[in-house]
Amino acid sequence: MSGAGMRRGVCLVLAAAPGGGKTSVSRRLLETEPDLQLSISATTRAPRPAEQEGVHYYFKTPDDFAAMAARDEFLEHAGFLGRRYGTPRAPVEAALAEGRDVLFDIEWQGHRQLKAKMPADVVGIFLLPPSMGELERRLRGRGQDSEEEIARRLAVAREEMRHWEDFDHVLVNRDFDGCVAEVRAVLHAARSARARQPWLPRFVDGLLTG
Ligand code: 5GP
């Protein structure tokens, strides 16, 4: 038998400065790509209104988070603004082995760790804003944040953007639909990478000898 086999899933990391658009781009992608699932992180920060346990995050006490880290249950974990964030290992490994793709909404330190640990699996995309003015406008558009909070978010944004060179793909998020289409193109191209199709050598052998 020499039929086409199952591919390995893609680890698609989408990173951006806060206000860079990754939440809305991720949401649209997840709605329209049935083979793509979101990696749900653990965090020690408190839930925001409307955030649900197991949907947006697994909310942990610092002790529980530390215990998970000690048991090596995270693929990566990092500190961000005094809180801890980590990617639970088991769901990612299961998805990749079953040929499903996983989307990660994580910051640059997490991406760096994932890339070091799973270089053949990870495809990193960084979304840049078209200008700092536009980024600030998007941050202000979020609601009633104080000037202090806006300034803090801009500082965080600048710090995140300093790491754009770690990523395989860099997109300037000028318009939402165009950006979603570009991210989708990267995902689709990554699916056909030779390394994700371990069944190919036998298949091609079969074609050539059959
Ligand atoms: P927030 O608290 O606003 O939901 O997330 C803060 C930052 O932590 C965002 O940049 C988000 O992408 C990042 N983040 C969320 N989950 C993880 C994770 O599991 N690992 C890492 N390294 N960063 C994460």
Side-chain angles (χ1 to χ4, degrees):
M1 236 194 55
S2 60
M6 196 171 66
R7 67 177 176 86
R8 187 166 164 82
V10 180
C11 280
L12 188 70
V13 178
L14 198 56
K22 68 181 169 178
T23 308
S24 17
V25 171
S26 310
R27 197 175 300 138
R28 172 65 65 82
L29 218 61
L30 289 163
E31 284 164 4
T32 51
E33 290 288 339
D35 284 347
L36 182 68
Q37 69 184 54
L38 182 67
S39 164
I40 299 168
S41 299
T43 181
T44 61
R45 83 154 163 73
R48 297 184 184 127
E51 278 185 340
Q52 287 169 268
E53 167 71 16
V55 175
H56 299 92
Y57 280 106
Y58 298 106
F59 295 98
K60 301 289 175 193
T61 63
D63 283 351
D64 286 348
F65 191 102
M68 288 178 75
R71 292 193 299 265
D72 202 25
E73 290 178 18
F74 291 125
L75 272 177
E76 61 76 32
H77 59 88
F80 183 86
L81 296 179
R83 306 291 182 191
R84 300 183 78 184
Y85 295 82
T87 299
R89 175 193 301 279
V92 176
E93 289 183 345
L96 295 187
E98 289 161 19
R100 282 179 284 118
D101 307 312
V102 185
L103 181 66
F104 299 81
D105 174 347
I106 61 178
E107 48 68 83
W108 69 273
Q109 302 172 86
H111 168 258
R112 194 173 271 186
Q113 292 173 47
L114 275 191
K115 191 87 183 164
K117 203 171 271 182
M118 312 162 76
D121 290 314
V122 175
V123 176
I125 305 181
F126 196 91
L127 303 184
L128 285 171
S131 67
M132 289 314 276
E134 174 61 18
L135 184 73
E136 189 171 340
R137 197 186 64 72
R138 289 181 193 166
L139 285 176
R140 285 183 189 283
R142 282 183 173 183
Q144 327 80 346
D145 289 334
S146 63
E147 280 307 307
E148 199 185 344
E149 177 63 19
I150 300 283
R152 194 181 61 92
R153 285 183 166 275
L154 274 171
V156 171
R158 286 179 183 282
E159 172 58 21
E160 191 72 19
M161 284 163 58
R162 286 200 180 91
H163 301 282
W164 67 279
E165 283 175 294
D166 287 353
F167 291 79
D168 301 309
H169 301 269
V170 181
L171 305 176
V172 179
N173 185 4
R174 289 199 179 79
D175 81 285
F176 176 69
D177 289 335
C179 188
V180 171
E182 285 182 296
V183 173
R184 193 191 309 285
V186 170
L187 171 64
H188 288 190
R191 285 176 176 163
S192 64
R194 195 173 56 223
R196 292 199 177 83
Q197 304 182 88
W199 52 275
L200 269 175
R202 283 185 71 188
F203 178 69
V204 176
D205 259 4
L207 289 178
L208 295 177
T209 58

